[in-house]
Amino acid sequence: MILSLVGVGIVGAGLIGIVRQAAKDTTHPPVVPTRYTPKPTTESTGQPTEEPTSTATESPTSEPKVNDATVVSKNAIYKVGQMRTANCREPKVRPTNARNAAAYWAAIKPCLDRSWGPLVTKAGYKFQPPSMSYWSGSSTTTPCGSGVVNVPFYCSSNNNLYMKVDVFVKSYTQYSDAESKAYARMWYTRSVAHEYGHSVQNMTGILQASDNLRYELSDYNDRQRQTRRMELQANCFAGVFLAMNKKSYPISGELLYVWNKWVVTAGDKPEDGDHGSVASQQRFMGQSFKTGNPASCNTFAVSPRYVS
């Protein structure tokens, strides 16, 4: 999430309640508004070549700016085809303490870079992999804002993933059974892939355009729905990455079991929240986990009933 966040949970009787409460506790500080959509690096893709908006008078030869609705719903990232596997493997380290939690995520980050780089480039955009930092505690300060934050988040202002190590450690160590530990690993693997998905949105202009559209809406429910489209897409992008690396990781056995039982089935009540209902999570992230294709993730072109 964009200084908006994924919840933490544990397997067992309290898992669903914890996940739902985490969703309620999250905040959505404003992304620094901008009308800039990144300029594609090539002209051969036939994709928009818009320049940053300027207050100065544009020359007669300047390219017309593509409107925000087109950027989010007809983006070239939906046409790049299936992601290639990066043959990622689950890190051997276990998140028993803050250092190990950071090491776990640090080992996954290069896989995300290798997986998304070719697709972003193929879409005609400049690939600028995000940086990643680790923190713990009850609050933090970033270029995107400051205050109480309970889970990992992404900040577009400095293109950085802020991965909260203490929630990962707590989730992994709180219960000793194998299912709980597998759940923590699978949830937080999805978590870093989700935050990376926001960076992909940022690189392709979707994040900025979506935020622009949200600010133009006056109705609260419409604004929430626009946020859900953005968050559901980030989860869907996570599903793309996991789909194409599930054999090498491997996401099988206990990890696949908890993915199907707990991760894909976590969500808000329909029309109540900004991250999407269980049905919407399954429609997008569940589908992309099968296809491995960003084409499954166009949450901005579907009927409102599909982003509940």
Side-chain angles (χ1 to χ4, degrees), residues 125-182:
Y125 292 98
K126 183 178 180 180
F127 179 62
Q128 296 179 306
S131 53
M132 186 161 67
S133 57
Y134 313 96
W135 65 287
S136 62
S138 60
S139 65
T140 188
T141 299
T142 77
C144 285
S146 61
V148 176
V149 184
N150 298 319
V151 286
F153 62 92
Y154 170 73
C155 176
S156 62
S157 294
N158 60 353
N159 192 27
N160 190 78
L161 314 179
Y162 288 89
M163 305 307 296
K164 195 171 191 296
V165 292
D166 49 357
V167 295
F168 193 5
V169 173
K170 181 179 179 181
S171 180
Y172 184 79
T173 60
Q174 190 164 2
Y175 294 96
S176 60
D177 63 286
E179 185 176 338
S180 293
K181 293 186 180 302

Side-chain angles (χ1 to χ4, degrees), residues 236 243 281-293 296:
C236 188
Q281 299 291 355
Q282 293 175 329
R283 180 174 293 111
F284 293 106
M285 182 172 63
Q287 182 66 14
S288 68
F289 187 68
K290 298 175 183 177
T291 67
N293 193 324
S296 300

Side-chain angles (χ1 to χ4, degrees), residues 30-304:
V31 176
V32 176
T34 174
R35 292 286 179 176
Y36 170 50
T37 301
K39 180 180 179 180
T41 57
T42 65
E43 302 296 328
S44 60
T45 61
Q47 299 306 316
T49 57
E50 59 274 13
E51 296 284 355
T53 299
S54 172
T55 56
T57 302
E58 295 184 352
S59 67
T61 58
S62 62
E63 294 281 350
K65 184 186 183 300
V66 177
N67 65 55
D68 293 321
T70 298
V71 172
V72 299
S73 64
K74 297 181 180 181
N75 200 282
I77 197 68
Y78 308 137
K79 301 177 183 179
V80 294
Q82 190 179 60
M83 177 182 282
R84 292 185 179 180
T85 181
N87 292 313
C88 299
R89 294 185 179 277
E90 184 187 17
K92 293 182 179 180
V93 64
R94 291 293 177 258
T96 54
N97 55 48
R99 182 184 294 274
N100 288 350
Y104 190 96
W105 279 322
I108 296 174
K109 169 68 163 51
C111 294
L112 285 157
D113 293 339
R114 294 197 304 272
S115 296
W116 280 109
L119 296 190
V120 172
T121 301
K122 186 177 180 180
Y125 292 98
K126 183 178 180 180
F127 179 62
Q128 296 179 306
S131 53
M132 186 161 67
S133 57
Y134 313 96
W135 65 287
S136 62
S138 60
S139 65
T140 188
T141 299
T142 77
C144 285
S146 61
V148 176
V149 184
N150 298 319
V151 286
F153 62 92
Y154 170 73
C155 176
S156 62
S157 294
N158 60 353
N159 192 27
N160 190 78
L161 314 179
Y162 288 89
M163 305 307 296
K164 195 171 191 296
V165 292
D166 49 357
V167 295
F168 193 5
V169 173
K170 181 179 179 181
S171 180
Y172 184 79
T173 60
Q174 190 164 2
Y175 294 96
S176 60
D177 63 286
E179 185 176 338
S180 293
K181 293 186 180 302
Y183 171 78
R185 288 152 50 203
M186 195 69 259
W187 183 274
Y188 283 103
T189 296
R190 193 292 312 265
S191 176
V192 69
H194 170 101
E195 304 310 337
Y196 201 102
H198 283 311
S199 181
V200 173
Q201 291 175 323
N202 192 44
M203 286 184 270
T204 57
I206 294 173
L207 185 61
Q208 300 93 326
S210 175
D211 198 58
N212 291 340
L213 292 169
R214 185 170 66 90
Y215 272 93
E216 292 168 1
L217 296 170
S218 57
D219 181 78
Y220 173 80
N221 291 328
D222 289 340
R223 288 168 63 88
Q224 283 287 87
R225 188 173 296 111
Q226 184 67 22
T227 301
R228 281 200 296 273
R229 291 183 190 275
M230 181 174 60
E231 294 294 348
L232 283 166
Q233 184 176 80
N235 255 5
C236 188
F237 283 166
V240 169
F241 168 76
L242 296 172
M244 299 314 297
N245 291 282
K246 58 186 167 186
K247 289 185 178 180
S248 59
Y249 204 72
I251 301 176
S252 60
E254 196 83 68
L255 288 184
L256 182 60
Y257 173 77
V258 296
W259 169 267
N260 290 322
K261 183 178 180 180
W262 301 111
V263 182
V264 181
T265 61
D268 301 322
K269 293 180 180 178
E271 304 295 337
D272 181 26
D274 60 9
H275 281 72
S277 65
V278 173
S280 293
Q281 299 291 355
Q282 293 175 329
R283 180 174 293 111
F284 293 106
M285 182 172 63
Q287 182 66 14
S288 68
F289 187 68
K290 298 175 183 177
T291 67
N293 193 324
S296 300
C297 301
N298 191 350
T299 58
F300 295 94
V302 300
S303 168

